[in-house]
Amino acid sequence: MDGTSSDPGQSRSERAEAAERQAARRRLLEQAEADRVPVDDTTRAVPDRRWRRDHP
């Protein structure tokens, strides 16, 4: 299921478009992986509940 097929009924332009889509998909996935922040580099959000001290 890589988007390419050797189906004789598929035109050359359809195969070229499918190849372009796959190349674009790979580029997007590579970019997303490059931009990904490792879990160890993130901090856990802790809610600020100080305002509740003044109000019961």
Side-chain angles (χ1 to χ4, degrees):
M1 184 178 248
D2 61 356
T4 58
S5 174
S6 60
D7 182 10
Q10 197 176 36
S11 71
R12 180 179 291 173
S13 64
E14 289 172 331
R15 289 191 301 270
E17 287 176 13
E20 288 173 13
R21 281 193 301 273
Q22 284 301 106
R25 182 175 180 269
R26 276 193 300 276
R27 284 192 303 271
L28 285 172
L29 290 172
E30 289 169 2
Q31 183 65 41
E33 181 63 25
D35 292 345
R36 186 178 66 85
V37 177
V39 172
D40 296 339
D41 294 348
T42 60
T43 58
R44 182 171 178 257
V46 179
D48 184 4
R49 298 183 188 265
R50 289 178 290 180
W51 62 272
R52 290 191 177 185
R53 290 184 192 153
D54 296 334
H55 305 307

